[in-house]
């Protein structure tokens, strides 16, 4: 075995260890806590999770499919701006948008107060108003943030279709709407299913919104079981149920990829519009884009800005700088280590000769599909075992190492690396594809060894991809909440946990600057993705 092979396999096995421990632990014997949950509330968790996923998928389709069709096929006022702006909600954490709309729509919020004033209603008995803190309310909040996944993928799929098929359907007497349902949508169903699988995984991983709305799902069950009963085995078994859902979603996503390969016949991008909307249809299209962007991004950001201005003295505190610095340190460490690991694994994929050279990369990327709460439990299992064995070994001495790994910042950093390694791997791998293998042969003919080829030839050409990978991992670390809540050391806060605590206490105003900082930082990867798509289309 070469040292490159040993390094790549070591990284792959190390990052896949938590998942292996989780599967093993979930298959262990009966747990008293799990049996109690099974007999009482577990199926409520399962049914709520399924209903939440179904609601989010339905709403995402209703929002994103018309937007994707408009962006791909139509010309209307403001199209160029909305193509980019409609991605902005991805930068908004769901629990922030959930709090803002709860504050606006509750009985004491400005909307109901105005309604009571205008119509002279005196009490809740005089009128009906929906309750935002429900499962449907949580579905709306999550869909407003996650719909851009479907919008982006569907828009791209439509642009890769040939306009001739739609034009042929019109010659056969079909209206644009009929062409959409009979031609465009069936041709893009592979991409749509892939996007919906991604949204379903993100929905199942959401913790903060459902926790704030008191909607019991499997994610909150893992959190409550660990913090309420301190039962790793029961939490692992619930996580095992979530893994089954994840495997189904991944299988659907994989099947959809194969389906899309069969049905796509055109790889070029259609830049011209098929329909030029004028008059009332044009303004209806613009109005719909404005409405979605207003509800999903502009209004929440405006409310946060208002909070930040009104409560500037309380929000601009020393805590903000401490937590921002702690978040930055963790994000920098994770992005640096994840990029270095991905560089080594992808380099082995390039120089390896055996068919198994891609296996370490796939092993190392398994953590990305795990929700934060599940990942936290998965990471705790091996680290707790290591700490227990270490303390047993030192039992006869005067030194007590304590929870060296599971009780320190190491656990959180390790979990982040496991979760976000796949992002760095994908970005570095995409950059490596553009480097011709002939450069490797030229380097070897000049007497350079593999390390010199990597450092002197590949690295300068990979700088842009490495920077992109580091930025994407960095931003995801800044936003990550569930794993941080479960794994952060005592009295250690990040900006995400800091904001969530104030949200839970109904005091987001006092953490508004921190929330705005997270949103603004989240805009960076959106800019990178947009630039990358534009360059790809050129």
């Amino acid at each position: 075995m070469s040292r490159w092979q040993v390094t790549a396999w070591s990284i792959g096995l190390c990052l896949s260890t938590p998942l292996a421990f989780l599967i093993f632990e979930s298959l262990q014997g009966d747990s008293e806590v799990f049996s109690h949950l099974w007999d009482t509330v577990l199926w409520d968790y399962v049914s709520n999770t399924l209903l939440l996923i179904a609601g989010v998928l339905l709403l995402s389709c209703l929002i994103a499919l018309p937007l994707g069709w408009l962006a791909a096929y139509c010309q209307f006022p403001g199209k160029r701006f909305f193509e980019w702006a409609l991605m902005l909600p991805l930068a908004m954490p769901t629990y922030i948008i959930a709090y803002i709309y709860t504050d606006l729509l509750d009985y004491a919020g400005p909307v109901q107060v105005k309604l009571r004033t205008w119509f002279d209603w005196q009490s809740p008995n005089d009128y009906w108003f929906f309750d935002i803190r429900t499962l449907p309310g949580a579905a709306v909040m999550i869909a407003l943030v996650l719909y851009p996944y479907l919008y982006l993928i569907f828009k791209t799929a439509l642009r890769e279709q040939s306009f001739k098929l739609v034009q042929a359907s019109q010659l056969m007497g079909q209206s644009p709407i009929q062409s959409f349902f009979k031609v465009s949508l069936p041709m893009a169903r592979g991409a749509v299913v892939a996007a919906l699988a991604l949204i379903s995984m993100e929905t199942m991983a959401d913790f903060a919104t459902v926790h704030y709305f008191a909607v019991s799902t499997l994610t909150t069950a893992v959190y409550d079981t660990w913090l309420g009963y301190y039962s790793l085995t029961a939490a692992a078994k619930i996580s095992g149920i979530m893994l089954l859902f994840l495997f189904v979603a991944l299988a659907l996503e994989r099947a959809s990829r194969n389906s899309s390969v069969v049905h796509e016949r055109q790889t070029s991008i259609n830049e011209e519009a098929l329909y030029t909307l004028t008059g009332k249809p044009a303004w209806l299209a613009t109005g719909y884009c404005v409405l979605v962007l207003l509800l999903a991004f502009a209004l929440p950001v405006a409310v946060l800005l208002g909070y930040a201005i009104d409560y500037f003295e309380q929000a601009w505190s020393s805590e903000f700088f401490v937590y921002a610095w702690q978040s930055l340190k963790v994000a920098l460490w994770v992005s640096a280590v994840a990029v270095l690991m991905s560089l080594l694994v992808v380099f082995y994929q390039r120089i390896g000769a055996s068919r198994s050279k891609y296996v370490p990369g796939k092993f190392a990327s398994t953590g990305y599909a795990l929700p934060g709460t599940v990942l936290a439990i998965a990471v705790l299992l091996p680290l707790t075992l290591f700490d227990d064995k270490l303390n047993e070994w030192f039992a006869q001495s005067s030194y007590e190492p304590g929870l060296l790994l599971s009780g320190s910042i190491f656990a959180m950093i390790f979990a982040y690396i496991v979760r976000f390694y796949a992002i760095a791997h994908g970005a570095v791998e995409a950059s490596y594809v553009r480097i011709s293998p002939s450069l490797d042969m030229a380097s070897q003919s000049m007497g350079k060894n593999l390390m010199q080829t990597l450092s002197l030839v590949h690295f300068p050409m990979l700088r842009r991809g490495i920077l992109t990978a580091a930025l994407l991992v960095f931003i995801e670390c800044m936003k990550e909440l569930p794993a941080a809540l479960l794994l952060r050391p005592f009295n250690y806060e990040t900006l995400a946990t800091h904001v969530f605590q104030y949200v839970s206490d109904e005091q987001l105003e006092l953490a508004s600057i921190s929330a705005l900082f997270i949103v603004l930082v989240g805009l960076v990867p959106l800019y990178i993705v947009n630039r990358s798509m534009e360059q790809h289309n050129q």
Side-chain angles (χ1 to χ4, degrees):
M1 271 187 154
S2 68
R3 59 180 177 175
W4 296 103
Q5 190 174 12
V6 171
T7 302
W9 275 95
S10 299
I11 292 171
L13 293 175
C14 177
L15 297 187
S16 60
T17 296
L19 179 60
F21 267 80
L22 181 67
I23 294 174
F24 178 78
E25 186 69 23
S26 64
L27 297 176
Q28 293 304 299
D30 199 11
S31 160
E32 185 178 344
V33 174
F34 183 76
S35 298
H36 173 69
L37 294 175
W38 180 281
D39 294 334
T40 54
V41 295
L42 184 61
W43 294 109
D44 290 336
Y45 291 142
V46 173
S47 60
N48 284 341
T49 302
L50 293 176
L51 288 172
L52 182 67
I53 291 174
V56 173
L57 293 184
L58 176 63
L59 291 169
S60 297
C61 287
L62 293 175
I63 297 172
L65 294 182
L67 292 176
W69 184 80
L70 287 170
Y73 281 178
C74 301
Q75 184 65 43
F76 57 93
K79 174 189 173 180
R80 188 170 180 80
F81 166 75
F82 289 117
E83 277 192 278
W84 143 254
L86 287 169
M87 294 191 296
L88 292 177
L90 279 177
M92 181 68 68
T94 53
Y95 56 93
I96 292 178
I97 202 172
Y99 174 83
I100 289 171
Y101 276 105
T102 301
D103 194 41
L104 291 175
L105 300 174
D106 260 353
Y107 180 76
V111 173
Q112 292 202 52
V113 169
K114 284 293 182 185
L115 288 175
R116 289 195 295 272
T117 303
W118 290 339
F119 297 100
D120 197 26
W121 294 328
Q122 302 300 319
S123 71
N125 297 327
D126 295 335
Y127 66 101
W128 175 89
F129 198 87
F130 61 88
D131 185 4
I132 188 69
R133 291 201 188 199
T134 57
L135 191 148
V140 172
M141 297 298 103
I142 297 173
L144 283 176
V145 173
L146 297 184
Y147 84 82
Y149 287 120
L150 179 57
Y151 159 72
L152 281 172
I153 294 174
F154 184 57
K155 180 184 71 173
T156 304
L158 289 184
R159 283 188 167 177
E160 290 177 352
Q161 292 179 7
S162 173
F163 281 176
K164 293 179 180 177
L165 295 171
V166 179
Q167 290 167 338
S169 71
Q170 291 175 341
L171 289 175
M172 297 172 69
Q174 302 294 306
S175 67
I177 294 178
Q178 289 172 323
S179 296
F180 171 78
F181 283 107
K182 293 183 178 180
V183 178
S184 301
L185 188 58
M187 290 287 290
R189 69 176 182 273
V192 171
V193 173
L196 293 180
L198 179 61
I199 291 175
S200 65
M201 287 190 288
E202 291 290 337
T203 302
M204 192 161 50
D206 182 86
F207 166 75
T209 305
V210 292
H211 185 268
Y212 180 65
F213 279 13
V215 176
S216 299
T217 63
L218 288 171
T219 306
T220 59
V222 173
Y223 182 83
D224 294 340
T225 302
W226 170 234
L227 290 187
Y229 300 100
Y230 292 101
S231 173
L232 264 179
T233 302
K237 288 182 177 298
I238 298 172
S239 301
I241 296 174
M242 296 183 71
L243 281 180
L244 292 177
F245 287 108
L246 288 172
F247 288 152
V248 171
L250 290 172
L252 288 174
E253 193 271 344
R254 178 65 61 183
S256 68
R257 284 174 186 261
N258 297 333
S259 173
S260 66
V261 171
V262 172
H263 293 287
E264 285 175 5
R265 292 288 182 268
Q266 177 169 325
T267 55
S268 60
I269 302 296
N270 293 308
E271 289 299 327
E272 300 297 328
L274 184 61
Y275 306 106
T276 300
L277 304 182
T278 57
K280 189 176 180 181
W283 292 112
L284 281 176
T286 303
Y288 183 63
C289 294
V290 169
L291 179 64
V292 173
L293 186 62
L294 178 70
L295 294 177
F297 186 77
L299 180 60
V301 168
V303 172
L304 280 179
L305 278 172
Y307 286 159
I309 294 171
D310 294 340
Y311 296 86
F312 180 79
E313 291 186 2
Q314 296 96 320
W316 189 255
S317 62
S318 58
E319 288 183 338
F320 167 72
F321 293 101
V322 172
Y323 301 151
W325 174 237
Q326 290 178 168
S327 299
L328 290 172
K329 280 195 300 184
V330 171
L332 287 172
W333 269 108
V334 172
S335 56
V337 175
V339 168
L340 177 61
M341 286 181 166
S342 63
L343 188 61
L344 294 173
V345 172
V346 177
F347 183 67
Y348 168 66
Q349 289 180 186
R350 186 177 179 90
I351 63 173
S354 65
R355 291 185 178 180
S356 62
K357 63 181 181 180
Y358 295 104
V359 176
K362 292 186 182 301
F363 275 14
S365 302
T366 53
Y368 186 63
L370 298 178
T373 51
V374 175
L375 177 63
I377 299 301
V379 166
L380 278 176
L381 290 168
L383 297 188
T384 304
L385 179 64
F386 176 85
D387 284 338
D388 289 344
K389 295 296 180 185
L390 189 67
N391 282 285
E392 287 178 10
W393 196 52
F394 279 97
Q396 302 303 322
S397 67
S398 58
Y399 176 66
E400 295 182 359
L403 302 177
L404 192 63
L405 299 184
S406 61
S408 67
I409 193 66
F410 176 86
M412 196 165 77
I413 291 177
F414 181 55
Y416 282 13
I417 294 172
V418 173
R419 176 121 165 80
F420 302 125
Y421 167 84
I423 298 175
H425 185 96
V428 173
E429 192 174 37
S431 297
Y432 244 119
V433 172
R434 302 189 185 97
I435 300 178
S436 172
S438 60
L439 292 176
D440 298 20
M441 293 185 280
S443 175
Q444 292 172 12
S445 66
M446 296 174 66
K448 304 297 182 185
N449 59 32
L450 291 175
M451 177 59 81
Q452 290 170 324
T453 301
L454 174 62
S455 59
L456 300 177
V457 180
H458 292 174
F459 188 78
M461 302 180 71
L462 289 170
R463 281 182 300 184
R464 185 173 178 178
I466 290 173
L467 177 63
T468 301
L471 274 175
L472 292 175
V473 174
F474 179 86
I475 301 306
E476 290 296 331
C477 291
M478 293 291 291
K479 293 194 297 181
E480 174 61 28
L481 176 65
L485 283 174
L486 286 169
L487 296 174
R488 71 189 194 279
F490 177 72
N491 209 24
Y492 190 96
E493 302 290 346
T494 65
L495 280 180
T497 60
H498 170 65
V499 171
F500 179 70
Q501 286 182 350
Y502 276 97
V503 168
S504 301
D505 296 337
E506 309 279 350
Q507 293 180 319
L508 178 61
E509 303 89 341
L510 303 183
S512 52
I513 293 179
S514 301
L516 269 177
F517 187 76
I518 294 174
V519 174
L520 293 176
V521 170
L523 296 179
V524 176
L526 293 178
Y527 174 78
I528 294 173
V529 170
N530 187 58
R531 289 285 299 166
S532 175
M533 292 177 66
E534 288 181 350
Q535 291 171 358
H536 177 72
N537 294 340
Q538 288 174 355

